[in-house]
Amino acid sequence: HLEQESRPKYSPTMKPSRPYTRSNPTAEPITSPPTPAIKTVLINAITWNMNKRKSISSPFLLSPNKPPDIIALQEPSSAITDQSTPIHAEFLSNAKHHGYIAHVAKHTITLFNIHSLSPFYTNTLTPIDDGRIQTHIFTTRPQTHLAILNIYAYQKGHQTYHASSSTLLTTLATHFKKLHSLYPNLQIIALGDLNVDPTQTPPPPN
């Protein structure tokens, strides 16, 4: 969950306090500003492998009654991810219409709800492994951060599945360590389609 400070609004009738001194015993004592209340915001996330579908509307119909805060998509059609296609422009327009900002890479698309997450958004890191790993940073409180990852690993039918999956998991482990060194008090939420079976032979790395 995210926590947001709720501060009292300024009123024109508010006056600064005057310090109490022996020469002015009737002055108002200095008072500290009220401690801001902490508002808890729960995150609702959906992850979906599109299997190269070209639909520009399906991702926004996954939860029609409660629009999620995050929609993490994997394996979108290249017609959507290719910035030169009309479908790409239509997808971005449709995302904006539904209240989302779209971060598009070759193998992943991450959609953030503008209304619920924009106050916490900090920055987006450069996608890793040909766009298979997206990383987005949010500041939940001063010196407290949240990293949202959208991951699409290699399909089991891929010709280099075992080697590529092992490399991807090693890359993720290194990436996690780097994130913790860059952002204090970091919480990581990893979404996506890893396609890793712990019982496979040979087994994936720990």
Side-chain angles (χ1 to χ4, degrees):
H1 66 271
L2 303 177
E3 295 179 341
Q4 187 177 34
E5 293 185 348
S6 177
R7 298 182 179 274
K9 295 182 178 179
Y10 172 79
S11 170
T13 60
M14 295 175 62
K15 297 180 180 179
S17 299
R18 291 178 287 117
Y20 174 90
T21 62
R22 289 185 178 180
S23 60
N24 189 13
T26 60
E28 301 172 3
I30 295 178
T31 57
S32 301
T35 302
I38 299 298
K39 178 183 178 182
T40 299
V41 182
L42 299 179
I43 295 179
N44 178 24
I46 289 179
T47 177
W48 182 43
N49 186 318
M50 294 186 71
N51 287 314
K52 299 183 179 179
R53 290 179 176 86
K54 294 183 180 180
S55 174
I56 64 171
S57 59
S58 295
F60 309 103
L61 301 176
L62 296 173
S63 180
N65 296 326
K66 179 176 174 55
D69 302 299
I70 304 168
I71 304 176
L73 305 175
Q74 304 84 41
E75 201 179 1
S77 168
S78 58
I80 294 178
T81 59
D82 186 347
Q83 297 182 15
S84 65
T85 65
I87 293 181
H88 175 81
E90 291 176 14
F91 181 84
L92 295 183
S93 177
N94 199 34
K96 184 177 181 180
H97 172 74
H98 285 87
Y100 289 89
I101 294 177
H103 297 269
V104 181
K106 183 176 179 180
H107 297 286
T108 53
I109 298 175
T110 310
L111 300 153
F112 292 115
N113 190 305
I114 297 172
H115 304 291
S116 61
L117 292 183
S118 289
F120 305 99
Y121 177 77
T122 302
N123 65 301
T124 292
L125 306 185
T126 302
I128 300 174
D129 203 344
D130 198 26
R132 290 182 178 272
I133 303 173
Q134 287 193 38
T135 307
H136 308 274
I137 306 298
F138 296 83
T139 301
T140 57
R141 281 186 292 175
Q143 300 302 312
T144 304
H145 298 87
L146 171 68
I148 301 291
L149 274 69
N150 184 7
I151 306 166
Y152 175 58
Y154 295 83
Q155 296 282 357
K156 292 183 178 180
H158 194 278
Q159 58 183 356
T160 62
Y161 168 72
H162 293 298
S164 297
S165 295
S166 178
T167 300
L168 182 76
L169 292 176
T170 301
T171 299
L172 276 174
T174 302
H175 186 48
F176 287 166
K177 291 180 180 178
K178 182 178 180 180
L179 289 174
H180 279 291
S181 68
L182 292 174
Y183 301 98
N185 301 319
L186 179 69
Q187 179 182 7
I188 296 176
I189 297 178
L191 305 170
D193 189 358
L194 281 175
N195 291 312
V196 174
D197 181 359
T199 64
Q200 73 186 39
T201 304
N206 293 330

